[in-house]
Amino acid sequence: MNSLVLAVVGVCMILLGYFLYSKFLSQKVYKLDPAYTTPAHRFEDGVDYVPTNKWVLWGHHFTSVAGAAPIVGPAVAVIWGWLPAFLWVTLGTIFFAGMHDLGAMWASNRNKARSIGTLSGRYIGRHGRNLFLIVIFLLLLMVNAAFAVVISNLLVSTPTAVIPTWGAIVVALLIGQAIYRLKWNLVAVSIVGVVALYGLMILGDMYPIELPETILGLSANAFWIVILFLYAGVASLLPVWMLLQPRDYINGLQLFIGLGILYGAIIISSPTIVAPAINENVPDGTPGIFPLLFVTIACGAISGFHGIVASGTSAKQLAKEPDARLVGYFGAVGEGLLALGTIIATTAGFRTLAEWEEVYSAFNEGGVVAFVQAGGSILNSGLGIPESLSATILATMAVLFAATTMDTGVRLQRFVVAEIGEIMGFKLKTWVATIIVLVVTMGLAFGAGADGSGGMVIWPLFGTTNQLMAALTLSIIAVMLIQLRRPVWPVLIPLVFVAIVSVYALIIQLGTFFTTQNWLLLVLDVIILVCALWVIVEAVAAMNRARKAPAIELPTAEEEDADDRLSASSSKL
């Protein structure tokens, strides 16, 4: 089959989802109100609450949620054939991911930009909130630890990506100053920033940086992991406008251009898909396609991590409520397009079926390396870009996706640690919560692997935990919609499906971990499964209560502020 057909059909389906389905959700389900005063304006502090241009915020949200997962997941899942992966990515983006991300941002925005964990306490109950926070903490732990390993591996395997990876930070700092301090034109700043990033890629391709085998007693991989965590810790403490937001924005533009280059190469070269539509000759040890397909491809179809970002940072920067459609739903569209491009690259970027089968000789053998190798081949044949530079562009794309997610992930995990501290009766200073996050995450990375690769130890649980997190987020949105007597089926159907496949996958993994005597993952699996089932039971009860209770109306921003002042006065008395 010609890959161009797959690209055109997939892109058209996903874009139609944005232009049609997101409009329905915005007008009929979430009813986004341009007159509503968002928390970004009401609580503006110049650090976390910052009213932001919707395109800049889209860039932050898109790159924060994308990470390496929409590359890794689809690049692994095509082992079952390209058709199941294609259907899940396209339909998942339209009816699951976009609805979930937009809904999480709307729910947070209508609750003073509180995190999804806090909202669980309000809409599901106190016990549900506590268990919810455990799942969120573990999910962020997996994301931060594992993405550090992914980035370090790419910096070692593709040394030409080192200069553009770290140079992007300098570019972002300058862009932050240009936009917020100097008030320069956004379009001009954007063009200069993108040109600078691609200039850094060319420079990196000319001057690769390879570290020695050991530095200060650490391997090259371990050294990069330490540097990455120290950077992420500092970045999480800076005001969002200074580094996080401009870094995500300019990376978002560069990454979207990178996607354009990849799709342009596909259009010009029109490579043939050599992988089977349904692979009936999977390697020994490959698990069954159901339910593993739906948790292997998490980001790119639906991802619970998106809800944490939408409510943790993005909702605090939303200037106007209708902007949530572009930021939330179109952010999911960007990730879906990346996942679709990955599917095409890893099934059409090989010359023969035998070559493809050699790479996919075992489950989990695909991934970022397969994407860079196969995608680089397509860029070379379609656009004539030298193979070395092609690999640099794609490796840098993967690194920047993972790095921007890690930046946001550390900040979000700090919020969760602070929230857990409040529940336990004490308030943590920002820097103390950040140190706790770094100690715990680096403890996992180095405690389970001397080279820092321990972050991958709990990665097998990422997909299932991530999807469970999505189901739990959807349950909060469903409760709110039932209370408001608005259409709930667009949320309820995906909620039921994702909850079933996630719990089923966790149960299957329990057997695998027991058989292989992987006691750490077995214990974590049990904890996550118990927490998730408990929250699901509480959520069903909350939906039933909401259905029986009288309908409510969302308060205006002024009414919420008045209630806050009244509560504050009452507490003083």
Side-chain angles (χ1 to χ4, degrees), residues 209-234:
I209 296 179
E210 296 187 57
L211 298 181
E213 290 187 8
T214 58
I215 304 175
L216 302 175
L218 298 172
S219 67
N221 290 76
F223 178 79
W224 279 131
I225 288 173
V226 171
I227 297 300
L228 284 164
F229 275 119
L230 291 177
Y231 156 75
V234 172

Side-chain angles (χ1 to χ4, degrees), residues 332-357:
V333 165
E335 189 169 72
L337 293 175
L338 174 60
L340 176 62
T342 300
I343 291 170
I344 296 172
T346 52
T347 56
F350 299 94
R351 288 171 295 183
T352 63
L353 174 60
E355 187 177 311
W356 180 82
E357 288 179 334

